[in-house]
Amino acid sequence: MFEPVPLNLPPYPFKIKQESASHFIFDEIRKKYLVLTPEEWVRQHLVQYIIREKNYPKALIKLEGGLRLNTLQKRTDVVVFNTTGQKILMIECKAPSVKITQAVFDQIARYNIVHKVPLLFVSNGLHHYYCKIDFEQKNYQFIQDLPNYPGN
């Protein structure tokens, strides 16, 4: 059974229910209850954070979208679009017990070969890393904070 741990994010009023030995959390983007795993706990907090604190519109957020990387089918945790449909932010979520290592950055970098998103966010709910990608200069820069949604 999953016991939610405090994260390095504001608390949010989640709808959580228990059925048998499992807990479920309501995902307001997908409009359904999902099994409450440690990674899902982080994902739901990060989604609320970008909506409530950084003003990213709910309607422009896609969760667990598929992508093909070489011959493998993969899933991105969170991708955010702008109003013209361009991908502007990709988030990789890990459980709080998972250390953010080079392997995690390598994973989101591989996904970004396909997506070509200019802003990356990696978090385990305790430690957050933000990175701006400059595709023309072929480099990246870590930044201190996630910018607010453009136009706000």
Side-chain angles (χ1 to χ4, degrees), residues 86-121:
Q86 295 173 300
K87 298 168 188 164
I88 58 169
L89 169 65
M90 183 167 44
I91 305 173
E92 179 60 32
C93 309
K94 295 297 182 190
S97 61
V98 175
K99 285 191 179 357
I100 303 297
T101 63
Q102 185 63 49
V104 176
F105 288 107
D106 291 348
Q107 177 185 2
I108 199 169
R110 280 192 305 273
Y111 292 176
N112 211 28
I113 291 168
V114 174
H115 286 295
K116 300 197 181 337
V117 181
L119 189 56
L120 305 178
F121 179 2

Side-chain angles (χ1 to χ4, degrees), residues 46-132:
L46 293 177
V47 167
Q48 290 304 310
Y49 174 74
I50 67 172
I51 291 169
R52 295 173 184 239
E53 317 304 327
K54 298 297 181 174
N55 301 311
Y56 285 77
K58 252 194 278 192
L60 300 178
I61 298 171
K62 179 176 173 93
L63 303 182
E64 293 201 315
L67 74 116
R68 184 164 297 285
L69 188 58
N70 299 321
T71 59
L72 303 174
Q73 189 64 33
K74 301 287 186 178
R75 287 195 169 286
T76 54
D77 287 321
V78 182
V79 175
V80 182
F81 298 82
N82 64 17
T83 54
T84 63
Q86 295 173 300
K87 298 168 188 164
I88 58 169
L89 169 65
M90 183 167 44
I91 305 173
E92 179 60 32
C93 309
K94 295 297 182 190
S97 61
V98 175
K99 285 191 179 357
I100 303 297
T101 63
Q102 185 63 49
V104 176
F105 288 107
D106 291 348
Q107 177 185 2
I108 199 169
R110 280 192 305 273
Y111 292 176
N112 211 28
I113 291 168
V114 174
H115 286 295
K116 300 197 181 337
V117 181
L119 189 56
L120 305 178
F121 179 2
V122 174
S123 178
N124 63 2
L126 303 172
H127 304 283
H128 318 297
Y129 300 93
Y130 316 100
C131 187
K132 285 178 88 165

